[in-house]
Amino acid sequence: MNTQSAAAPLRVAIVGASGYSGGELLRLLAPGTGVHIAHVTAHTLAGKPVGEVHPILAGVVPLTFSSFKPEDFAGMDCVFVALPSGEAMEIVPALQGKVGRIIDLGGDFRLPTAEMYERYYKKPHTAPSLLGNAVYGLPELMREQIRSAELVANPGCYPTSAILALLPAIAAGLIDTRGIVINALSGVSGAGRSSSVELSFSEVNESIRAYKIGTHQHIPEIRTTLERVADMPVTLSFIPHLIPITRGIYTTVHADLKTDVSPETVAKTYADYYRNEPFVRVASRIPEIRSVLYTNYCDIAAFVEPHTGKLVVISVIDNLVKGAAGQAIQNMNIMFGFPEQHLLK
Amino acid sequence: MNTQSAAAPLRVAIVGASGYSGGELLRLLAPGTGVHIAHVTAHTLAGKPVGEVHPILAGVVPLTFSSFKPEDFAGMDCVFVALPSGEAMEIVPALQGKVGRIIDLGGDFRLPTAEMYERYYKKPHTAPSLLGNAVYGLPELMREQIRSAELVANPGCYPTSAILALLPAIAAGLIDTRGIVINALSGVSGAGRSSSVELSFSEVNESIRAYKIGTHQHIPEIRTTLERVADMPVTLSFIPHLIPITRGIYTTVHADLKTDVSPETVAKTYADYYRNEPFVRVASRIPEIRSVLYTNYCDIAAFVEPHTGKLVVISVIDNLVKGAAGQAIQNMNIMFGFPEQHLLK
Amino acid sequence: MNTQSAAAPLRVAIVGASGYSGGELLRLLAPGTGVHIAHVTAHTLAGKPVGEVHPILAGVVPLTFSSFKPEDFAGMDCVFVALPSGEAMEIVPALQGKVGRIIDLGGDFRLPTAEMYERYYKKPHTAPSLLGNAVYGLPELMREQIRSAELVANPGCYPTSAILALLPAIAAGLIDTRGIVINALSGVSGAGRSSSVELSFSEVNESIRAYKIGTHQHIPEIRTTLERVADMPVTLSFIPHLIPITRGIYTTVHADLKTDVSPETVAKTYADYYRNEPFVRVASRIPEIRSVLYTNYCDIAAFVEPHTGKLVVISVIDNLVKGAAGQAIQNMNIMFGFPEQHLLK
Amino acid sequence: MNTQSAAAPLRVAIVGASGYSGGELLRLLAPGTGVHIAHVTAHTLAGKPVGEVHPILAGVVPLTFSSFKPEDFAGMDCVFVALPSGEAMEIVPALQGKVGRIIDLGGDFRLPTAEMYERYYKKPHTAPSLLGNAVYGLPELMREQIRSAELVANPGCYPTSAILALLPAIAAGLIDTRGIVINALSGVSGAGRSSSVELSFSEVNESIRAYKIGTHQHIPEIRTTLERVADMPVTLSFIPHLIPITRGIYTTVHADLKTDVSPETVAKTYADYYRNEPFVRVASRIPEIRSVLYTNYCDIAAFVEPHTGKLVVISVIDNLVKGAAGQAIQNMNIMFGFPEQHLLK
């Protein structure tokens, strides 16, 4: 089945490779047997060698950034789009038909309707007809659909962590789907490569701040995905916090267990749900971010809190790997028949 | 009324001054007009100059640590006890009668019953008769009782932040007292001066971890204090997280608003409740830890989350100041008739 | 002599108070007996309350930023100028004659000649006639001249640390003034409040980088000051490094001792030189940054390195205090006859 | 020549795999084609699964730690010893003859004489006869000798960075070998997994400190290696500094260029020297630690400082990779005929 790696290598390209997700894609794909990076673009950095923009890749990725021109992508097997929100919907239509498969790492194709997109992303959607075609690229939920998808909407970092924390409980009907509380703590790279004062070292270091209370664009992504699983309405609080670390997301979820759900049932439900997943590790110890750094793992532990009887689930990922580039490569592996751990150790 | 500062300075002593809370007490008291630090003890460091153990105080506090001997404290106006939990209850009885007032920064006298202490601190209480006499030293709640207290139990760092976040809503009956969810993020100094691998830089840096889920000793302190205010049972989840910063606590609270409570009512309730408090700042912007570092402020903002209608309250403090030494000095100021900001700017 | 604090408070103003040095000035001056902050300006933030730009000062400094208009400063006893390099020389001439004394925290008046300024600051000096009048505000070297100065050029952060490290050895003629090597490590706040990608958290955290090798504008400031003391040419290497901490400068100096200078002579020379200085602590233990954070201290230790016989001097400061705002206040204290520790604990 | 990877995988073992270097060895070796980890020991953790001690390896390395028993190692092709200094010399003699090759990551076999070892490591050497047999495992200097070595002494982290910075200049005779000044900045993982207060987060974070001035055990390792290259005495200052980052070493070297050595000669000498090295990148831009994190690269830039004419060389590595485990694997690759980048991307 793994015919690609034995045969000619996959030809891949990255649109928008100068940011952190793009850089991480390059880092993971670079040494890869079975994959050939044929083309990388970066709007304002066209003409610059990759190693100058990402010095960690000097000598590793001997490519030069170019501007985006659709015709350059003709014949690519797989195109990764790692642009800021709102830009992918401008270029994906021009790629369709010219390239094999497209994996978008941004938010443009994750929501079901243009109206919902506009409400949370504060801009109109310019390619609404694609929304129905895109497959939400969370392998643990959508593996079969991903396999044959032409356009994959790679999940956001917060949603990956939050949804994986809740999937088993919701799928098994263990919890009340109303009143879920999600507190998520993110490293700063999640905000992208930025020149704002708010993200400067002196303002972020030795501090913490919540932001976008009740308005974060990942809220509808989490909610609609969980509603599809629950097949009923889900209401959830989601408070993102900025933490002075570079990488990682730490998500703590509270939910009300239905009566008579025992700790043993919770433990067994989680263990069973992810038993065959290559990148989810269910543990009984409390997860830490450092255990997933630079890996594609999501570590999860579910507890029944003494005294309150609430379900508390903690899940951690590296936001640039399982929360972005790693998951995109996992999706590529699924789409092209590679082993799922290919290039991800 | 402020006769002490005009007259002879207050004679104070610190038991257990080699840790972070003790060091912070020394830093704040040192330059103080109106206060004379007469005596400092540190079990294993007796004979060492303060400036060698706390190099920041070299040349500032020209004292030497001694061992604890009750007779050395005779005539002190105010004794601060900054010992690890379980040690204060061994020495406070020996101080009573010999000294004016005692402020304990540890957990030994914060809970109402010996049974509750034993359950959460995992050791028997050896001075249970004092539990009824100690006044819980949260000025915003207990100012009048503190004024005349002989023994003040200075609140824990997490409880200070969590209780101040909830006091107005509970006092005004705005929320359901069942199902409160508290997520708290703490700097590492909250764990004290420690030689454990778990708190070493390489294990804590670039990571996050929750701990003591459902079993933290601050849970009954928060709950019983809020129940006293609510005059009804309170159930609350409390998840503490260790964050790679040195100082600060960031507390995010979720609670269910009673029906018909408007955002305006929430805002007005919080503003009114703390209007005259010198060290609580109610704001509409989302608080950040860096805004309270090295100060005795607690910054609080209360929001009604869109879509869910939940009350979300965020409160931040410096765990070593408002969460420990600063609050202890605020209590001293109240007890001895100083202006409350004395030594705290 | 300290008549100001008994009499009417000193009227002070700050030009450019929205940056880190300006904010630190406000923090230190705010609670001050004897000083009244009458006026604060910030170019682009005119009309904003101080507490909105510096949330740590909310409720502490109840002022609003205004634009700079020279006439607003009439009658000020002391004006602090905390502008980016190149801006002070545009406004100081307009203040002269209208105000009592001026302390400039920037680099515009620290160098002896306009030519040297232009070479290192890459712009022409527009007020060269003031260069001869300004007194270099390093109290340990220029205390008497500062007392009566009309215009004080507050030293740079690196120069404060480096010069204090070398002063005793050079004044006593212990070292060869050629071939001095200075490696300095700085916290990120030294670069000012900035919106550059290079100073964003994700680029600075978990990294280190040297910069401006051989071209840093503090090189001539250090060299000319030391040459004045040595009364002979000084050649020195200076390599600044950016370190992922918010505050602090760590300076390690290597110099060749003249023959027959013993470790005892070195130790005695340093101890004697700073014996009466209120803000320099000479120690035998190796200094750490955390021991000077939020203080106006410079901690210094001098060693004779085994095997090589080189003099190694380490000096540390908080770049925003002794390296900027604290030293400026120390200068104000000297100029107006306050005790030197006034407002600096 | 690369017959191993085609044939049966190499059987490797790690003695002392519970520390950071051991964990990093496991991380790098784990996914490896061509290598089979057969055995891992950890003194006090015998019986514990690897994934419990190194949670990042849960599910990746399905081994359990055992105690060290020489007979367990019979038939191993390659044994990595990652023990604290002083322990390898106790066990290596028992392994010799039983196993193919040994790579020691500690300091026991790096110095030429037992006397020098005792002076710097403060303990007698118990296997002095091995000192002459061990090959110093710096591939850029000793590649041919490593190929056939039975016992490789993997270089220390500081020496790797410092020696690589100086090799080209010394080999080409560009600099005076007396008076070299090396300032090195290290992440905290270099101190090993530790439970000391000095390495606790609260003491290290937001601080910097130099240590072991003139007495560090890496001084003779650097000096004797450079003397072998220079074939004349070398005198050097070496000041290590502890920086609040987890990984990385930043080394800044000053040396006096011989007269008439031009910047062009310096640049060409460095570029030529490392032209064919797979893991040394010579650049003209100033290196940063983040560009080598989690890689086996050493990034180097050499400058002639304006005004002083000194040679300034900066070199950076990840102390756990090129400074420990990565270099050990590079040595293994050389010894067994793998491509040098095997397992190191």
Side-chain angles (χ1 to χ4, degrees), chain D residues 26 59 101 134 137 151 154 183 185 189 200 242 253 313 315 332 336:
Chain D
L26 286 166
R101 314 285 192 92
L151 173 58
N154 210 55
N183 280 271
L185 317 177
S189 65
S200 69
L242 188 73
V253 176
V313 189
S315 95
M332 177 195 80
F336 289 92

Side-chain angles (χ1 to χ4, degrees), chain A residues 20 195 199 201 203 205 246, chain C residues 20 195 199 201 203 205 246:
Chain A
Y20 295 141
S195 62
L199 296 178
F201 185 88
E203 310 268 314
N205 188 42
T246 299
Chain C
Y20 295 140
S195 62
L199 297 177
F201 184 87
E203 310 268 316
N205 188 43
T246 299

Side-chain angles (χ1 to χ4, degrees), chain C residues 85-163:
Chain C
S85 288
E87 299 187 16
M89 62 190 179
E90 302 294 340
I91 66 125
V92 162
L95 290 175
Q96 287 195 306
K98 287 195 186 59
V99 307
R101 312 284 192 94
I102 300 172
I103 300 172
D104 177 34
L105 282 77
D108 287 8
F109 304 108
R110 295 179 193 149
L111 297 182
T113 70
E115 183 207 15
M116 197 178 282
Y117 180 87
E118 187 165 348
R119 184 155 15 118
Y120 282 93
Y121 286 85
K122 314 290 181 202
K123 57 181 84 115
H125 202 290
T126 61
S129 65
L130 291 177
L131 290 178
N133 292 350
V135 170
Y136 189 67
L138 189 69
E140 292 77 8
L141 184 64
M142 306 289 285
R143 186 171 278 110
E144 288 316 309
Q145 296 90 324
I146 293 165
R147 227 179 276 286
S148 57
E150 285 182 25
L151 173 58
V152 161
N154 210 54
C157 48
Y158 284 126
T160 296
S161 178
I163 295 167

Side-chain angles (χ1 to χ4, degrees), chain A residues 151-175:
Chain A
L151 172 58
V152 160
N154 210 55
C157 49
Y158 285 125
T160 296
S161 178
I163 295 167
L164 291 177
L166 281 159
L167 264 188
I170 286 185
L174 302 188
I175 58 171

Side-chain angles (χ1 to χ4, degrees), chain D:
Chain D
M1 177 66 186
N2 182 353
T3 48
Q4 277 78 3
S5 71
L10 212 64
R11 285 171 55 84
V12 307
I14 304 172
V15 183
S18 61
Y20 295 139
S21 293
E24 194 73 3
L25 273 171
L26 286 166
R27 189 179 74 83
L28 291 166
L29 292 169
T33 52
V35 172
H36 171 69
I37 308 172
H39 203 65
V40 292
T41 80
H43 189 52
T44 58
L45 297 164
K48 286 227 177 190
V50 164
E52 213 169 281
V53 175
H54 301 293
I56 200 169
L57 298 175
V60 179
V61 177
L63 292 171
T64 295
F65 288 117
S66 60
S67 304
F68 176 78
K69 291 193 229 76
E71 57 271 27
D72 292 343
F73 292 78
M76 293 292 153
D77 296 305
C78 185
V79 176
F80 297 94
V81 181
L83 293 169
S85 288
E87 298 187 18
M89 62 191 179
E90 302 293 341
I91 66 124
V92 163
L95 290 175
Q96 287 196 307
K98 288 196 184 58
V99 307
R101 314 285 192 92
I102 300 172
I103 300 172
D104 177 33
L105 282 77
D108 286 9
F109 304 107
R110 295 179 194 149
L111 297 181
T113 70
E115 183 206 16
M116 198 179 282
Y117 180 87
E118 186 165 350
R119 183 153 18 114
Y120 280 93
Y121 286 85
K122 313 291 181 202
K123 56 181 84 114
H125 202 291
T126 61
S129 66
L130 290 177
L131 292 177
N133 293 349
V135 170
Y136 189 66
L138 189 69
E140 291 78 7
L141 184 63
M142 307 287 284
R143 186 171 278 109
E144 288 316 307
Q145 297 89 324
I146 291 165
R147 227 179 277 283
S148 57
E150 284 181 26
L151 173 58
V152 161
N154 210 55
C157 47
Y158 285 125
T160 296
S161 177
I163 294 167
L164 290 177
L166 282 159
L167 265 187
I170 286 184
L174 303 186
I175 58 172
D176 189 341
T177 59
R178 295 157 306 174
I180 296 167
V181 172
I182 303 170
N183 280 271
L185 317 177
S186 175
V188 186
S189 65
R193 204 167 213 168
S194 156
S195 63
S196 69
V197 171
E198 291 75 33
L199 296 178
S200 69
F201 185 87
S202 300
E203 311 268 314
V204 170
N205 187 43
E206 293 298 288
S207 196
I208 297 174
R209 65 170 183 267
Y211 62 102
K212 289 193 181 175
I213 294 179
T215 63
H216 196 283
Q217 68 276 11
H218 287 166
I219 293 176
E221 181 180 339
I222 300 169
R223 196 184 56 232
T224 56
T225 304
L226 294 178
E227 284 177 341
R228 224 178 306 153
V229 177
D231 204 18
M232 67 174 75
V234 169
T235 64
L236 55 85
S237 290
F238 173 74
I239 311 285
H241 302 70
L242 188 73
I243 304 291
I245 59 177
T246 299
R247 288 163 169 249
I249 287 185
Y250 202 96
T251 301
T252 301
V253 176
H254 285 80
D256 289 315
L257 280 172
K258 290 188 184 155
T259 42
D260 296 330
V261 176
S262 69
E264 292 70 31
T265 300
V266 167
K268 186 171 173 357
T269 302
Y270 273 78
D272 287 352
Y273 194 92
Y274 290 124
R275 191 170 306 284
N276 297 314
E277 283 300 332
F279 291 117
V280 180
R281 295 187 291 201
V282 175
S284 55
R285 59 184 280 167
I286 300 175
E288 299 179 66
I289 280 182
R290 68 190 180 101
S291 303
V292 297
L293 284 179
Y294 287 84
T295 81
N296 199 48
Y297 284 110
C298 177
D299 280 3
I300 294 181
F303 305 90
V304 179
E305 194 183 30
H307 306 299
T308 67
K310 288 217 183 227
L311 176 68
V312 175
V313 189
I314 291 173
S315 95
V316 300
I317 59 170
D318 183 321
N319 60 305
L320 293 181
V321 189
K322 183 62 174 170
Q327 185 144 268
I329 290 171
Q330 187 180 359
N331 282 323
M332 177 195 80
N333 290 338
I334 293 169
M335 293 160 96
F336 289 92
F338 290 102
E340 232 162 290
Q341 288 102 326
H342 178 231
L343 300 175
L344 299 168
K345 289 199 177 175

